[in-house]
Amino acid sequence: MDTKSIVYIALFAALTAALGIVPPIPTGFGINITAQSLGVMLAGSIAGAKRGGLAMVLFLALIAIGLPLLAGGRGGIAALAGPWAGYVLAWPLCSFIIGWLIGRKPGANVWLLGAFIAFGGIVVMHTFGILWYAFASQIPLGVAFINNSIFIPGDLVKVAIAAVLTHGLRRAFPTL
Amino acid sequence: MINIHNVSLSYADRTVLRDVSLSLTERRIAVIGANGSGKSSFARMLNGLVLPTEGEVEIDGLNTRTHGKDIRQKVGFVFQNPDNQIVFPVVEEDLAFGMKNLGFSKEKIAQKTDEILTRYDMRDLREHPAHLLSGGQKQLLAISGVLVMEPSYIIMDEPTTLLDLRNKRRVSEAIMALEQTVILISHDLDLLHDFDRVIVFDEGRVVEDNIPSVAVPAYVKRMT
Amino acid sequence: MLDLYSPGKSFLHKMSPAPKMLVLMVAATLLFLNDSLAVTLAAMVAVLLLYPLAQLSFKQAWQQLRPLLWIFAVFFALQWWLAGLEQASYVVLRLAALILLASLVTLTTRSSDMIDTITTGLGFLKPIGVNPAKVGLAISLALRFIPVLAQVTQDVREAQKTRGLERSVIAVAMPVAIRTLKMADDISDAIESRGYRP
Ligand SMILES: Nc1ncnc2c1ncn2[C@@H]1O[C@H](COP(=O)(O)OP(=O)(O)O)[C@@H](O)[C@H]1O
Ligand SMILES: [Mg+2]
């Protein structure tokens, strides 16, 4: 792997950590709507499949060694094992899928970019999150699904931001 | 000695350097020119960070295409913004980075760290967080990080542009005191009096190449 | 939060990073799994007592928590409302203790030592194609980028303020992203210039 890839991996892991400092919106279900998943989307859409996916692996590794980088200052292995951990553990896959889809359509317009980002950043992430949650807290999938819907509006906003940013950056840096 | 033979450089559809041939033997060489005239691209070519699209660059007989790794050690590079050059959070850790890459022993790393910090009067800052240094100290740290690797040539891309007057003076004194060959890109024309040679770039071509008292006024005239 | 190394000669500074990080990992996990307020309180006191023993001041401890105070406040209020005062105190104390504990490690360990340790610890991944030295470099860069990103964002917000744009997400994020990507390119050139062999 070349030096530039290492730098990009570090950069997007750091970005995701830095977004954890943006004030989260509490939902009342024990988990908050945070800006952090924007980092997951941008890692895939800007850094690409491999670098983006590895950036998220690095981020999770930093959490695992105990750094409190998850939104709200959470960290440690335990933070990666609770009933809500499915979302966070899916991040490497989400970024990878977003990057892979975008990599296959280099000329994508902002809407198509948005669709790709939404697929990886909402569909994949929530599927994982819901399955894990339903399994970990022994509740019916339907209930988990309904509880989960509270995140959708916030996620759509993040998808829009990520799509506009990615579109702009791909014009500023044609070599991305 | 640095030899540049008929070098051209293009990024995608844009030509940045056009048929440049130079033989650099002097100890103090300055490169000046308008923004976008190709100075940084030229500098990056000299240590093999960028390879020419056409032509060859040779450092002491080694071609940048084939001897990239040896050339990186021979030719040190100081960037405009020291924040982009400092890789580790603490002063001495950052100094050690280049030396570890070259496989220096622990003792040698400690000794060279001591030497360089003494030279720039920064011994107390050994364990200091690098991001809290002043602008001038950061640039001196960036220069130190290059010097400890024992290069024979040092390329500097506008190392004083971001500094205030006092720090500018301190860093330029440090530059003039270097025993190595220095190739300095700069917009600070008053720095160049004591240089042996000044090369002026315009739109990727060498348009002046002379002693400072001739080349600098010609450049100023060109710009106005 | 997560200030980096603070020089000193305490036993925590001298302790080698591997056991320190292991203790952090285990302690953080136990703290997270425990659900008694009394134990959490005891843990908090214990962590706080380690600060002077590590030649760190309570002021430094406070500095780790200060940026998160409003998060604590929101958590506390919410938990109080949903689950009562005891649960609220427990959640907030646990969070504070975890942050102080992690900071204790980062404050007494040079990141180069931490990275060397992780690099050695990851040696077992070599056969599957992971290069531990590269992982180490990536970790140290990530830790360095976090404050840089915060700084760049602040600079851009100030610049956009003069245009009344500091609250527009895109008007702030776009220049931040462009500057950081440029910086990333420069940093990778600088790393290679300094003899790093990928
Ligand atoms: N990596 C790159 N990709 C494409 N164009 C570039 C790149 N680097 C520089 N350029 C272009 O090359 C030209 C010369 O740039 P540069 O060498 O930085 O000039 P200077 O340092 O004299 O300002 C500029 O027009 C710049 O936009
Ligand atoms: Mg330049």
Side-chain angles (χ1 to χ4, degrees):
Chain A
M1 184 173 310
D2 61 341
T3 309
K4 200 158 159 176
S5 296
I6 299 175
V7 174
Y8 271 63
I9 289 166
L11 179 64
F12 282 89
L15 173 72
T16 308
L19 285 169
I21 304 169
V22 176
I25 306 167
T27 63
F29 287 96
I31 187 168
N32 305 311
I33 295 175
T34 77
Q36 252 175 343
S37 52
L38 181 59
V40 182
M41 297 172 186
L42 290 173
S45 67
I46 297 172
K50 194 172 165 200
R51 293 168 173 182
L54 288 174
M56 291 304 115
V57 172
L58 175 60
F59 180 76
L60 295 187
L62 293 176
I63 301 287
I65 61 177
L67 301 182
L69 300 178
L70 274 178
R74 289 169 302 137
I77 302 258
L80 296 177
W84 292 104
Y87 293 91
V88 174
L89 291 173
W91 286 357
L93 183 65
C94 300
S95 298
F96 182 88
I97 288 178
I98 293 172
W100 185 79
L101 288 171
I102 292 178
R104 289 176 56 98
K105 281 259 180 264
N109 64 21
V110 72
W111 296 102
L112 191 55
L113 286 175
F116 288 160
I117 294 170
F119 180 75
I122 299 183
V123 178
V124 175
M125 194 186 301
H126 288 244
T127 305
F128 249 79
I130 292 171
L131 287 176
W132 182 287
Y133 181 63
F135 178 75
S137 35
Q138 299 291 312
I139 62 158
L141 263 182
V143 176
F145 188 78
I146 290 164
N147 284 356
N148 180 78
S149 60
I150 191 163
F151 298 111
I152 302 288
D155 281 352
L156 287 174
V157 173
K158 283 178 255 176
V159 166
I161 295 173
V164 171
L165 273 179
T166 306
H167 188 63
L169 286 173
R170 284 162 74 87
R171 285 171 43 196
F173 295 84
T175 53
L176 266 182
Chain B
M1 156 145 128
I2 299 182
N3 269 314
I4 299 147
H5 304 287
N6 305 102
V7 157
S8 298
L9 177 68
S10 312
Y11 293 115
D13 53 348
R14 152 178 232 148
T15 304
V16 179
L17 293 174
R18 298 160 205 269
D19 196 23
V20 177
S21 291
L22 290 166
S23 173
L24 307 178
T25 47
E26 293 79 359
R27 258 188 79 234
R28 293 286 178 267
I29 300 169
V31 175
I32 56 180
N35 291 326
S37 57
K39 304 181 300 294
S40 295
S41 307
F42 174 73
R44 277 163 198 248
M45 239 173 37
L46 298 183
N47 81 334
L49 276 175
V50 173
L51 295 176
T53 317
E54 280 167 48
E56 309 298 327
V57 177
E58 279 177 6
I59 318 289
D60 295 339
L62 302 176
N63 193 308
T64 54
R65 285 185 208 284
T66 48
H67 290 79
K69 287 173 181 176
D70 304 317
I71 286 171
R72 300 281 161 72
Q73 195 251 311
K74 235 180 208 314
V75 185
F77 202 108
V78 176
F79 292 77
Q80 177 177 25
N81 187 348
D83 273 324
N84 294 352
Q85 180 157 2
I86 298 168
V87 183
F88 278 85
V90 174
V91 169
E92 67 172 343
E93 289 177 338
D94 189 69
L95 288 174
F97 176 67
M99 294 190 275
K100 279 189 187 164
N101 290 336
L102 296 181
F104 287 9
S105 72
K106 265 208 159 77
E107 296 73 40
K108 185 164 179 189
I109 291 178
Q111 177 228 327
K112 293 205 70 87
T113 300
D114 214 49
E115 221 173 80
I116 199 83
L117 290 177
T118 310
R119 157 139 45 140
Y120 292 130
D121 212 11
M122 304 207 298
R123 277 185 75 159
D124 300 342
L125 302 177
R126 199 186 182 108
E127 299 199 328
H128 205 73
H131 72 279
L132 299 179
L133 297 174
S134 75
Q137 286 170 331
K138 274 187 197 168
Q139 194 56 282
L140 287 175
L141 173 61
I143 293 173
S144 303
V146 168
L147 288 179
V148 290
M149 294 170 64
E150 306 176 338
S152 334
Y153 303 88
I154 299 178
I155 320 270
M156 302 187 168
D157 191 353
E158 303 190 33
T160 56
T161 303
L162 298 175
L163 302 179
D164 63 32
L165 214 55
R166 173 182 305 171
N167 282 309
K168 209 167 259 197
R169 190 161 305 146
R170 184 152 180 228
V171 170
S172 44
E173 277 167 17
I175 294 171
M176 291 317 286
L178 293 171
E179 57 269 24
Q180 285 90 344
T181 294
V182 172
I183 296 165
L184 174 74
I185 295 170
S186 185
H187 288 298
D188 291 321
L189 301 180
D190 39 341
L191 261 178
L192 311 182
H193 295 307
D194 300 327
F195 272 62
D196 303 318
R197 180 175 176 187
V198 175
I199 298 168
V200 182
F201 273 80
D202 190 21
E203 297 192 350
R205 277 182 228 278
V206 175
V207 292
E208 299 281 346
D209 184 356
N210 216 315
I211 53 171
S213 57
V214 178
V216 173
Y219 168 66
V220 172
K221 203 165 156 213
R222 202 173 256 281
M223 289 286 106
T224 47
Chain C
M1 186 172 80
L2 280 186
D3 248 346
L4 294 166
Y5 189 63
S6 161
K9 294 193 161 42
S10 75
F11 77 101
L12 272 173
H13 286 87
K14 284 184 189 140
M15 193 169 161
S16 83
K20 221 177 346 189
M21 287 164 67
L22 215 60
V23 171
L24 168 66
M25 243 163 99
V26 172
T29 306
L30 289 178
L31 207 56
F32 218 86
L33 295 177
N34 131 72
D35 49 15
S36 129
L37 176 60
V39 173
T40 312
L41 192 63
M44 179 75 179
V45 171
V47 173
L48 269 179
L49 284 179
L50 282 171
Y51 271 72
L53 287 177
Q55 297 177 346
L56 299 166
S57 63
F58 286 121
K59 190 167 156 232
Q60 274 167 305
W62 170 241
Q63 278 166 354
Q64 311 306 311
L65 297 177
R66 202 175 43 197
L68 295 166
L69 280 187
W70 60 269
I71 293 186
F72 290 169
V74 170
F75 266 39
F76 191 81
L78 196 76
Q79 291 287 340
W80 192 359
W81 179 54
L82 289 173
L85 190 57
E86 188 181 326
Q87 178 68 11
S89 322
Y90 158 73
V91 168
V92 168
L93 259 181
R94 182 181 68 179
L95 200 60
L98 276 173
I99 288 167
L100 287 177
L101 189 65
S103 303
L104 196 60
V105 174
T106 48
L107 281 166
T108 59
T109 317
R110 282 161 210 274
S111 55
S112 56
D113 288 345
M114 197 170 335
I115 288 151
D116 285 348
T117 309
I118 293 171
T119 309
T120 319
L122 289 180
F124 73 96
L125 289 177
K126 263 188 192 156
I128 61 164
V130 176
N131 180 336
K134 288 184 181 178
V135 178
L137 181 63
I139 292 175
S140 89
L141 285 173
L143 293 178
R144 211 187 83 79
F145 277 139
I146 297 172
V148 173
L149 283 170
Q151 183 62 48
V152 172
T153 308
Q154 194 178 332
D155 291 352
V156 170
R157 281 188 77 148
E158 267 163 25
Q160 297 295 42
K161 216 174 202 155
T162 60
R163 301 166 59 192
L165 286 174
E166 81 274 16
R167 300 193 72 83
S168 155
V169 174
I170 297 292
V172 173
M174 190 69 86
V176 169
I178 289 178
R179 271 173 61 171
T180 357
L181 287 181
K182 274 218 159 76
M183 179 184 77
D185 288 347
D186 281 353
I187 289 187
S188 74
D189 277 350
I191 290 173
E192 294 207 345
S193 286
R194 295 180 65 188
Y196 183 77
R197 284 139 203 238

